[in-house]
């Protein structure tokens, strides 16, 4: 039972720094460490709870304690030294173990709550990162769609079609190209403003 309490204390000392480090830096290594700690926490909690329940049942059952006392008296009769076990001392010892197990369970319960809170915090961070990536994806998709308009116009102008407005006047061609670029930029800005008003961008 003391061994279980020591295991709980050791796990507690290992867990809190690992959880704090995970909150500071979400990485695969830190997530793996916390996953192992959580597995150990669950297994140890089950063991401690089981021993605690058995001990509580033993302490609450007067019949079991009477059998222990009767067995002890029989053994003392057969024992040449004639020493009798003290049932009150045994009860005090079991009570002390029970209190120790309660303390271990409290440690593990508090640690479990801290793990759950850390998981919630990490999920919030990951959701925020995912939202940022989705917003970047929306901006890139919008830019690609609007850029395609310019590509279509450039494709039309690149055909072997005679366009009279470009005969001997390159400035008109440059002005058209500048107008296309400016139009693309204006469309992009309008699209981004519209997306922001729709609440798709933060």
């Amino acid at each position: 039972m003391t061994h279980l309490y020591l295991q709980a204390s050791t796990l507690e000392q290992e867990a809190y720094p690992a959880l704090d480090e995970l909150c500071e830096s979400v990485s695969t290594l830190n997530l793996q460490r916390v996953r192992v700690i959580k597995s150990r926490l669950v297994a140890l909690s089950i063991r401690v709870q089981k021993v605690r329940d058995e001990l509580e049942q033993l302490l609450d059952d007067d019949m079991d304690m009477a059998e222990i006392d009767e067995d002890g008296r029989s053994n003392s009769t057969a024992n040449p030294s004639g020493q009798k076990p003290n049932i009150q001392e045994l009860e005090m010892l079991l009570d002390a173990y029970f209190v120790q197990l309660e303390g271990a369970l409290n440690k593990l319960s508090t640690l479990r709550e801290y793990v759950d809170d850390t998981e919630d915090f990490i999920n919030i961070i990951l959701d925020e990162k995912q939202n940022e990536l989705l917003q970047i994806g929306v901006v890139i998709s919008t830019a690609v769609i609007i850029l395609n308009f310019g590509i279509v116009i450039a494709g039309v102008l690149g055909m072997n079609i005679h366009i009279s407005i470009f005969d001997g006047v390159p400035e008109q061609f440059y002005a058209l190209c500048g107008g296309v670029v400016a139009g693309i930029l204006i469309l992009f800005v309008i699209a981004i403003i519209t997306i922001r008003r729709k609440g798709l961008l933060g």
Side-chain angles (χ1 to χ4, degrees):
M1 296 177 191
T2 303
H3 180 63
L4 291 176
Y5 185 85
L6 290 176
Q7 279 188 314
S9 299
T10 302
L11 182 60
E12 185 183 42
Q13 292 172 2
E14 294 177 9
Y16 285 113
L19 292 167
D20 291 339
E21 188 174 347
L22 178 62
C23 290
E24 293 175 4
S25 173
V26 180
S27 65
T28 304
L29 178 62
N30 289 338
L31 285 170
Q32 179 67 17
R33 286 177 61 196
V34 171
R35 188 187 69 79
V36 171
I37 286 172
K38 187 175 180 180
S39 298
R40 289 171 55 196
L41 173 62
V42 171
L44 185 58
S45 297
I46 292 172
R47 287 175 57 199
V48 173
Q49 184 67 51
K50 184 176 180 180
V51 174
R52 179 220 176 258
D53 291 344
E54 292 291 335
L55 187 57
E56 183 179 31
Q57 185 177 358
L58 178 64
L59 288 171
D60 290 342
D61 194 338
D62 294 334
M63 293 290 293
D64 287 342
M65 295 303 293
E67 287 180 11
I68 292 174
D69 187 30
E70 188 175 332
D71 290 342
R73 291 178 185 278
S74 300
N75 291 334
S76 65
T77 304
N79 189 354
S81 62
Q83 293 181 348
K84 294 184 179 179
N86 191 333
I87 193 66
Q88 290 182 345
E89 290 181 2
L90 178 60
E91 285 185 10
M92 290 175 60
L93 183 61
L94 292 178
D95 283 334
Y97 283 148
F98 184 79
V99 170
Q100 198 175 64
L101 288 173
E102 283 284 327
L105 272 180
N106 288 335
K107 282 178 179 287
L108 295 174
S109 177
T110 303
L111 181 57
R112 182 60 182 267
E113 291 177 4
Y114 196 80
V115 169
D116 291 340
D117 291 342
T118 302
E119 285 181 342
D120 292 340
F121 178 72
I122 297 302
N123 286 333
I124 292 171
I125 292 176
L126 294 178
D127 287 343
E128 185 179 342
K129 297 295 183 185
Q130 187 177 17
N131 289 337
E132 290 176 2
L133 290 175
L134 290 174
Q135 291 177 3
I136 293 171
V138 169
V139 172
I140 292 174
S141 298
T142 304
V144 169
I145 290 170
I146 293 174
L147 189 60
N148 283 335
F149 290 120
I151 293 172
V152 169
I153 295 172
V156 171
L157 296 176
M159 294 180 181
N160 283 329
I161 300 174
H162 181 264
I163 302 175
S164 59
I165 63 172
F166 296 148
D167 289 345
V169 188
E171 288 79 10
Q172 291 177 340
F173 177 75
Y174 297 147
L176 180 62
C177 291
V180 169
V181 171
I184 290 172
L185 291 175
I186 290 170
L187 281 175
F188 180 72
V189 171
I190 292 173
I192 294 299
I193 291 173
T194 304
I195 292 171
R196 278 185 179 275
R197 285 182 178 174
K198 295 285 187 181
L200 297 176
L201 286 178

